[in-house]
Amino acid sequence: MRPLIVLHGSWHQPAHFDDVVGRLRQEGAEVTVPDLGGRPIAETTRTVQEFVDRAAEPPVVLAHSFGGLTASGLQGASHLIYLAAIVSEPGETAQYWIERTKEETGHEPQPLPLIFDDQGLTHLDLAAVREAMYADCTDAVAERATALLRPEPVTIFDESPAGSAWKDTPTTYITCAEDRALVPEMVVHFAARCDTTVTWRASHSPYLSRPVELATLVLERL
């Protein structure tokens, strides 16, 4: 069984993945969940690359949402699993995808429920985050997930990956049919860049709402 590195998304932290990671470890998987919060993509990529380089054998990388930007800059992974994640190449920022979607569809994508403060940080609006991120989670799971959220610098929308690992690494894309954080027009482009696409009837955070299914899929690739 290969080792696994889990990359959480922006505003989130490793603890959001406790359930699915616990299930994987019970099955004997070696799982690392680095904290990527509040740091530039170049820095998180260097950090995760060190874990990849130290692994006994090429690891599988599971990347959620903005974690996909870090994943795409890695070298030496055996498989990349993009979970409702951004699949970009250098120069393709989140803002790039927003603008491209607007050009292709003729309308502005539905924005994330963000609050911008005067310190250059963004906060997910706690009053609206349940609908955007955790719509298919139980109340208890959604409440814990919301309590764990953290701010992120507004600069995350202007960052892109250090490489395009998905071009020469086996990939799986998990599309969430009820995702309200990534618009379908973007997801079509992301999934098309991957070797295999799996579609679930889930919202943006199936590691919380479907931990058994996610753990099963990951184990198949370890």
Side-chain angles (χ1 to χ4, degrees):
M1 188 181 297
R2 295 182 183 273
L4 173 71
I5 300 174
V6 177
L7 308 181
H8 63 80
S10 290
W11 303 285
H12 290 67
Q13 58 178 298
H16 280 94
F17 278 81
D18 283 352
D19 189 347
V20 69
V21 167
R23 294 172 189 273
L24 289 165
R25 287 175 174 159
Q26 286 180 351
E27 295 297 326
E30 176 188 338
V31 188
T32 301
V33 194
D35 192 341
L36 310 181
R39 296 192 285 158
I41 296 300
E43 185 178 326
T44 62
T45 302
R46 286 194 298 270
T47 296
V48 178
Q49 187 64 55
E50 291 178 0
F51 285 111
V52 173
D53 295 342
R54 290 200 301 265
E57 55 184 314
V60 172
V61 175
L62 169 64
H64 177 247
S65 198
F66 266 88
L69 297 179
T70 296
S72 292
L74 301 174
Q75 298 179 352
S78 64
H79 198 108
L80 301 175
I81 304 172
Y82 290 99
L83 174 61
I86 300 172
V87 184
S88 285
E89 59 184 354
E92 294 179 348
T93 64
Q95 188 60 39
Y96 161 86
W97 286 110
I98 292 171
E99 293 172 359
R100 178 170 174 173
T101 301
K102 182 178 180 180
E103 291 176 1
E104 293 178 350
T105 64
H107 59 81
E108 193 85 32
Q110 181 68 31
L112 288 169
L114 294 177
I115 297 172
F116 297 82
D117 67 24
D118 57 6
Q119 297 179 327
L121 296 176
T122 62
H123 306 254
L124 284 170
D125 183 351
L126 301 187
V129 72
R130 171 69 187 274
E131 185 71 14
M133 298 279 185
Y134 316 125
D136 59 342
C137 296
T138 65
D139 289 342
V141 168
E143 288 171 7
R144 178 178 183 270
T146 300
L148 288 170
L149 293 171
R150 306 177 292 186
E152 291 281 356
V154 69
T155 51
I156 62 172
F157 289 97
D158 298 316
E159 294 193 75
S160 66
S164 307
W166 45 270
K167 291 184 177 179
D168 53 18
T169 305
T171 51
T172 299
Y173 195 90
I174 302 175
T175 296
C176 297
E178 298 177 356
D179 194 339
R180 291 165 190 162
L182 293 178
V183 298
E185 293 85 359
M186 290 183 192
V187 173
V188 167
H189 290 295
F190 301 154
R193 289 177 162 177
C194 297
D195 300 318
T196 302
T197 299
V198 177
T199 301
W200 289 345
R201 191 178 181 86
S203 65
H204 190 61
S205 307
Y207 55 92
L208 295 172
S209 62
R210 303 179 67 145
V212 174
E213 290 91 335
L214 180 57
T216 299
L217 183 147
V218 170
L219 287 168
E220 291 172 352
R221 287 153 176 79
L222 293 182

